[in-house]
Amino acid sequence: MDEKVLNLIKSEQKRQSEGLELIPSENYVSAEVLEAMGSVLTNKYSEGYPNFAGLDGDDDLALLATTEDYRYYGGQDNTDKIERLAIARARRIFHADHANVQPHSGAQANNAVYNAWLQPGDTVLGMDLAQGGHLTHGAKVTQSAQIYNFVNYGTNPETGDLDYDDIEAKVKEYQPKIILIGYSAFMKIPDFERVVKIRDEFCPDALLMADMAHVAGLIAGGVHPNPLDFGFNVMTTTTHKTLRGPRGGMILSKGKVTNPLKKPEHTIENIPTLIDRSVFPGTQGGPLMHVVAAKAVALYEAEQPEFKEYAKNIVKNAKALADALKERGFKLVGDGTENHLILVDIMSSFGVDGKTYERALDRIGLTLNANAIPNDTMPRFTPSGVRLGTPAITSRGLNEKDMVQIADWMKQVVDICKDKRQDAVTDGRLREEVRKMALAHPLPSDKK
């Protein structure tokens, strides 16, 4: 192997093994997921789809019987079976009528849904990036914002929850074609039932879409409500956050599943097939079959009883970490968390900007990311806040007691930053303490 690349991979392995990952959108995969990603499936083109016949059953082995497909290349006997396994597992876990497991990322998944349902200039109501939404929910720098008309809602500054009155008012005024509930920095559990009622009363033809990239693993583990159970039509997600799979995306939907080679009528009932046609050939080419296989493995793991315990522990650890931080003077947006994610206003807490604090923590082996808080007045690259969470450290077996220790380290580092004694971060003591805890909890992929 290229020695330079190999050495850098080894360095990254060392960094991950000897540090603790607090970025809420990152996680550690199992050895089995890694093995699937590094398989010979990377050699195979599989443009199109497997046959969906028989996917209503619960027996995975029975689902592998079909030999017909909707592919444009030969040699698909094994890839068809792998993709059908991934689809069947995703449908079961998320109570969906259909699953498209081909999107290369969450952004690709969102764009495919837009392309499936909207015409240029149509209106989408989504969460403001500055309030905790995602780039693909209407940020002006994105391609989708150049094609569609995005209107944004925000959060209630007192509670940190979604501003449902604002959502209702804008649904009435703008009559959006898509009402999108989703976020990248939000700590509450959305009131999906209320949003469905708003749609039904004021804009009944709108598509209800939930971007649950951050909490899909919590939904799979039964500790977060599933928007599809409340009447949402579509749910998009990444597969690498709380779901603990490979980097990629996925689209779950309710409706009628038909042959993707035939264009259906443009109705909400046909949204599964409209999405399939939008993913391929609409917005991307051949799927990455080694990644689809790794998604299938991750979905298998998510169906195991141990995953439910994992999801419960993510939430327990997040609450314990949030409480420990508050006890040490950290001001949290929304005063805590109901999921896996914590957003800290580090500037109003201690007079330190998020980027300075992120870099200081990096030096002792704690990794999180600088992040804007709602209505942030600080510059984009030196925002007021930091974002952190517990999916990755929970994967390594850390518990609520360990959260208290992490909060202690975070307070010691912020005190160093306040005193502008950056050199003190490199005195070795804190770094060694973090390293000792990390090595006591090996990466899941290192466990045999």
Side-chain angles (χ1 to χ4, degrees):
M1 182 176 177
D2 177 347
E3 191 170 335
K4 291 181 179 178
V5 173
L6 179 60
N7 287 338
L8 288 170
I9 291 173
K10 289 180 178 179
S11 292
E12 176 61 15
Q13 169 83 15
K14 186 173 187 291
R15 185 195 71 81
Q16 291 187 23
S17 296
E18 296 184 356
L20 297 175
E21 186 58 71
L22 300 175
I23 295 175
S25 54
E26 295 188 8
N27 213 329
Y28 305 110
V29 299
S30 67
E32 290 77 12
V33 169
L34 273 182
E35 185 177 4
M37 285 196 71
S39 70
V40 295
L41 287 164
T42 193
N43 300 333
K44 188 69 190 120
Y45 255 116
S46 299
E47 290 181 350
Y49 293 98
N51 193 304
F52 301 133
L55 281 169
D56 289 334
D58 288 329
D59 184 354
D60 283 349
L61 294 178
L63 299 179
L64 305 183
T66 184
T67 57
E68 296 183 22
D69 60 35
Y70 308 125
R71 304 285 194 189
Y72 290 85
Y73 288 77
Q76 304 293 345
D77 290 352
N78 299 308
T79 51
D80 278 355
K81 293 173 183 177
I82 288 169
E83 188 166 349
R84 285 170 62 84
L85 276 173
I87 292 169
R89 291 167 180 172
R91 289 176 68 254
R92 282 199 301 268
I93 290 168
F94 295 105
H95 312 158
D97 293 328
H98 189 49
N100 189 302
V101 297
Q102 293 189 6
H104 302 330
S105 68
Q108 289 283 85
N110 287 345
N111 288 335
V113 177
Y114 301 154
N115 184 62
W117 189 244
L118 303 173
Q119 295 296 318
D122 281 350
T123 298
V124 180
L125 178 64
M127 192 172 184
D128 191 340
L129 176 64
Q131 296 280 303
H134 188 260
L135 278 169
T136 55
H137 302 169
K140 293 181 180 179
V141 295
T142 62
Q143 183 186 49
S144 55
Q146 313 304 313
I147 301 173
Y148 311 112
N149 174 42
F150 282 85
V151 177
N152 292 135
Y153 59 84
T155 56
N156 183 311
E158 294 181 2
T159 66
D161 205 350
L162 298 182
D163 190 335
Y164 295 100
D165 292 336
D166 187 34
I167 291 172
E168 181 175 317
K170 286 175 177 172
V171 167
K172 289 180 185 177
E173 178 179 358
Y174 294 101
Q175 293 294 294
K177 294 295 180 66
I178 293 179
I179 300 171
L180 170 58
I181 301 298
Y183 36 82
S184 63
F186 180 66
M187 297 67 59
K188 304 292 184 178
I189 293 177
D191 188 343
F192 297 118
E193 185 175 10
R194 183 171 179 181
V195 175
V196 171
K197 289 180 179 178
I198 291 171
R199 188 277 303 268
D200 291 349
E201 183 172 357
F202 301 110
C203 194
D205 294 329
L207 183 80
L208 279 178
M209 174 182 174
D211 180 349
M212 297 288 101
H214 267 272
V215 296
L218 303 184
I219 293 171
V223 296
H224 190 288
N226 181 348
L228 296 180
D229 291 341
F230 290 85
F232 273 65
N233 309 112
V234 175
M235 184 174 92
T236 60
T237 181
T238 53
T239 49
H240 53 271
K241 297 185 176 77
T242 51
L243 197 53
R244 205 160 58 177
R247 301 193 69 84
M250 187 164 59
I251 307 172
L252 297 308
S253 55
K254 290 283 194 178
K256 186 178 179 181
V257 183
T258 58
N259 183 345
L261 300 182
K262 297 179 180 179
K263 185 177 181 179
E265 185 181 356
H266 190 269
T267 64
I268 286 182
E269 182 186 26
N270 288 328
I271 195 65
T273 304
L274 293 170
I275 287 171
D276 280 343
R277 291 173 61 87
S278 179
V279 172
F280 176 82
T283 55
Q284 65 183 45
L288 308 176
M289 290 311 300
H290 57 301
V291 179
V292 171
K295 291 175 185 178
V297 174
L299 291 166
Y300 170 81
E301 293 173 352
E303 288 192 286
Q304 306 311 306
E306 296 83 2
F307 194 88
K308 293 187 182 298
E309 286 302 310
Y310 166 64
K312 290 178 185 177
N313 289 335
I314 289 175
V315 177
K316 287 180 181 179
N317 281 343
K319 186 180 186 307
L321 181 55
D323 289 345
L325 288 170
K326 286 197 295 182
E327 289 171 2
R328 288 155 181 78
F330 290 80
K331 296 179 182 177
L332 310 186
V333 176
D335 196 40
T337 182
E338 295 176 356
N339 54 31
H340 66 299
L341 187 149
I342 301 166
L343 189 60
V344 180
D345 185 347
I346 199 74
M347 176 56 72
S348 69
S349 300
F350 302 108
V352 177
D353 70 81
K355 182 55 71 172
T356 296
Y357 190 47
E358 172 197 303
R359 288 170 175 163
L361 286 170
D362 251 349
R363 293 166 73 175
I364 71 162
L366 295 179
T367 308
L368 47 61
N369 66 280
N371 205 95
I373 62 170
N375 304 311
D376 205 334
T377 58
M378 293 285 287
R380 169 176 15 173
F381 292 108
T382 53
S384 298
V386 291
R387 188 183 69 150
L388 64 156
T390 54
I393 52 178
T394 304
S395 290
R396 293 177 75 164
L398 272 69
N399 58 32
E400 293 164 277
K401 181 179 178 181
D402 299 318
M403 300 305 107
V404 176
Q405 178 61 75
I406 289 172
D408 273 339
W409 287 326
M410 291 179 65
K411 181 60 166 62
Q412 291 181 62
V413 171
V414 85
D415 288 341
I416 292 169
C417 291
K418 282 170 56 181
D419 295 339
K420 303 188 186 315
R421 296 183 294 110
Q422 285 289 335
D423 288 345
V425 183
T426 60
D427 67 5
R429 177 183 59 83
L430 290 175
R431 179 69 189 95
E432 186 55 33
E433 289 178 5
V434 173
R435 181 176 177 274
K436 183 178 180 180
M437 178 182 281
L439 292 176
H441 298 86
L443 301 182
S445 57
D446 290 340
K447 297 175 182 178
K448 300 298 182 180

